[in-house]
């Protein structure tokens, strides 16, 4: 099947039928995933694509990062849970450390 020139297929080939489709972007269009069905690419309702060959999924979400709100690409696990960014992971680690320090203080132990 020939695709129209203004549409180009990029990305991963997970089962020779799924593709990540990225048209020429205007105003940062979101990630779209198409699947080849009976010789035609059909837009899939899912926002992420699992790639068993590498054990990761890829998808997009609208989020704020470094004071910029837009669609961002993220990695996902096989259950569809998004992996945190390094910034988010650092924040989670700080919160965990603060909770642990509070528990130690409650037991009369100085965490410092």
């Amino acid at each position: 099947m020939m695709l129209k020139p203004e549409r180009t297929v990029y990305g991963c080939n997970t089962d020779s039928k799924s593709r990540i489709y990225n048209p020429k972007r205007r105003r940062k269009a979101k990630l779209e995933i198409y699947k080849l069905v009976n010789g035609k690419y059909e837009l899939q309702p899912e926002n992420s694509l699992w790639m068993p060959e590498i054990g990761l999924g890829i998808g997009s979400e609208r989020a704020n990062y470094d004071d910029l709100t837009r669609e961002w690409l993220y990695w996902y696990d096989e259950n569809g849970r998004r992996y945190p960014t390094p910034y988010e992971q650092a924040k989670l680690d700080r919160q965990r450390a603060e909770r642990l320090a509070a528990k130690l203080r409650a037991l009369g132990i100085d965490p410092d």
Side-chain angles (χ1 to χ4, degrees):
M1 175 185 153
M2 292 294 291
L3 295 176
K4 295 179 182 178
E6 69 271 13
R7 295 183 178 184
T8 306
V9 175
Y10 300 94
C12 299
N13 185 359
T14 61
D15 61 5
S16 77
K17 294 184 180 180
S18 296
R19 299 274 194 261
I20 297 174
Y21 175 81
N22 185 1
K24 290 183 181 176
R25 296 174 75 173
R26 285 188 229 166
R27 299 207 167 253
K28 306 290 182 187
K30 68 180 184 174
L31 174 72
E32 295 178 329
I33 299 172
Y34 285 71
K35 184 174 184 178
L36 185 61
V37 178
N38 297 323
K40 292 185 178 182
Y41 283 98
E42 295 181 1
L43 179 62
Q44 300 300 296
E46 299 87 18
N47 185 37
S48 61
L49 174 69
W50 177 249
M51 298 175 285
E53 299 87 352
I54 62 171
L56 284 171
I58 191 168
S60 66
E61 291 182 22
R62 186 161 186 82
N64 186 325
Y65 181 74
D66 203 20
D67 294 326
L68 182 60
T69 301
R70 56 168 274 188
E71 290 285 328
W72 295 97
L73 291 178
Y74 293 101
W75 294 111
Y76 293 82
D77 68 14
E78 62 187 352
N79 297 312
R81 290 183 302 249
R82 181 173 67 80
Y83 286 107
T85 64
Y87 173 79
E88 291 168 333
Q89 187 62 53
K91 184 177 179 180
L92 292 170
D93 292 345
R94 278 192 306 276
Q95 291 170 345
R96 181 176 173 266
E98 289 167 4
R99 285 193 306 272
L100 179 57
K103 286 181 182 180
L104 289 172
R105 284 187 199 99
L107 295 171
I109 301 170
D110 182 9
D112 299 319

